Every structure is written in structure tokens, then in C-alpha cells.
Amino acid sequence: MKILAIESSSLVASVAIVEDDTVVAEYTINYKKTHSQTLLPMIDEICRITDYRLEDIDAIAVSAGPGSFTGLRIGSATAKGLGLALKKPLIHIPTVEAMAYNFYDTEKYIVPIMDARRSQVYTGIYTSKEGIVNEILPQCIMSIEELIKKINEIGQPVVFLGDGVPVFREKIEMDLLVKAVFAAAGINRQRASAVAELGKKYFLQGKTETAAQHAPDYLRMSQAERERKMKGSDNKNE
């Protein structure tokens, strides 16, 4: 099974080719460049170096959100364009769940946190035993206070990862009542190889979609949509 994976839900841009249980190539950048500048050249580069033909892949796994509205739109458009051109199915991957796939086996509960602004995080809670990831809390958006309360109620040690860690680490360390650790640099952000790993599972379960069917999961309205809605409400009250 050959999977092309695309991750662009945050500042991280990452692409990978995974064949069966081997990461053939992975290209990850965590730097201030727009994904529209990076994703296609990165895919082209890993194909050039490995001599892979995109026509030979079985499916395209794309990190579908939540996350950056712009990043998700670019990743989605890239995956849809390739899917249409290559006539390949897409695999719709929940971003937060894919982040949990950075861990193969741990006794701790895995808690990805992505900074969603206004003291909120995109998050979920997972366990991982010998590569089998189980969902305790499906990906959602909540305040960091709500998340800390929920973890305290569960009462189990946790490991945090994601770009929400540097934003909320001080509050977590202050208010959390259970033991917590923070993931090391190599596994503390989104990675396309993890998207591909979850993509293989979904592919075998028949969870694919056409390029035309694919749409990102934003979990909340964009700032522009919220402003339009508020403006519409103001107009009705006049």
C-alpha cells in the first residue's frame, strides 16, 4: 500500500510517502512560509529523490482539520487537485487524532493541543498501546480551563504536544493536578508520516472519499464569517 500524505493544518508543512510499514520519504518544514509556496515543491522533491511516480500511489491522506483556516484550505486544494488529476481517492484524516499517532506506545494519556486563540485549544484525548490508538475524547474545541478540568477528572498522567504547549504550558503546570510531561522536539508537532499511518488504517476500513467530496473540518467559523454574522445581527436590530 502506497500513501501520499499532506499536513498543513498549522505553521508546519509536511508531506510524506509511506509504503506498507516504511516511511519512504518525509519532508517537514516548521518555518514562516506560506503552504502555497511549499507543499507542491515538497511533493515534487520527495518524488524526484525517491523516483516515485504519483500515478503509482493508492490514495492521498490529507490532514483535514481542525487548524489554521488558510493552511487547511491550501492542503485541501492541493489534495483535491492531485486526486482529480491522478484519479485517486482521498483519505480524510482528523488532525488531532493524527497527532496522537506520533506515539507508538505510552502509559500516559496523549493530549494534543493546538492554539485556537482566545484561550481555546483544538484538542482530544487518546491512548496508544503497541501502535493501536484509542479515542477517549474525540477532537473538539474548548477552553484551556475546560481541558485542564477534564484531565483532572480523569486523573491519569498525560503527555502534551502541539503548538498550544508553549502558549499554555505555564497555566497547565500551575493548574493541572496530575503528572504531565511535554513531548520532545521530534514528536511535538504535526507530521505527514503520522497522517499516513492513520490513513492506512482508514483506507483498510474503506474510509475514503472522492476529491470532489472532500472538505476540511474547521470546527468553528472563521473570523470573517463571525464578523459577517455579527453585522447581519446588528442590521436586523436596527
Side-chain angles (χ1 to χ4, degrees), residues 111 113 121 123 142-151:
V111 185
I113 53 174
V121 290
T123 189
M142 64 173 63
S143 70
I144 188 64
E145 291 84 4
E146 290 176 296
L147 177 61
I148 290 172
K149 180 181 177 182
K150 186 172 289 292
I151 295 170

Side-chain angles (χ1 to χ4, degrees), residues 72 88 151 174 204 226:
L72 291 174
K88 301 293 182 180
I151 295 170
M174 181 181 303
L204 292 173
R226 289 195 299 271

Side-chain angles (χ1 to χ4, degrees), residues 44-133:
D44 182 66
E45 181 69 5
I46 63 173
C47 288
R48 184 187 65 79
I49 291 175
T50 60
D51 292 327
Y52 259 75
R53 289 164 21 98
L54 288 178
E55 292 84 353
D56 296 332
I57 63 171
D58 295 297
I60 302 165
V62 57
S63 179
S68 157
F69 287 86
T70 301
L72 291 174
R73 282 195 292 268
I74 294 170
S76 174
T78 302
K80 287 167 73 76
L82 289 171
L84 287 168
L86 299 169
K87 296 181 173 59
K88 301 293 182 180
L90 269 58
I91 311 171
H92 188 110
I93 301 299
T95 297
V96 178
E97 185 178 357
M99 292 174 73
Y101 271 74
N102 281 348
F103 294 85
Y104 177 80
D105 187 278
T106 177
E107 295 298 320
K108 297 176 177 64
Y109 279 45
I110 305 163
V111 185
I113 53 174
M114 300 172 63
D115 184 16
R117 310 296 182 187
R118 302 195 304 276
S119 295
Q120 292 183 313
V121 290
Y122 298 118
T123 189
I125 301 175
Y126 306 87
T127 60
S128 180
K129 300 295 182 185
E130 297 182 359
I132 299 174
V133 174

Side-chain angles (χ1 to χ4, degrees), residues 185-217:
I187 53 172
N188 71 359
R189 293 291 190 274
Q190 292 90 328
R191 294 183 60 179
S193 56
V195 173
E197 187 67 22
L198 182 53
K200 291 191 301 179
K201 174 184 174 182
Y202 276 31
F203 186 83
L204 292 173
Q205 293 174 348
K207 295 181 180 179
T208 63
E209 59 189 4
T210 66
Q213 292 171 326
H214 177 75
D217 297 323

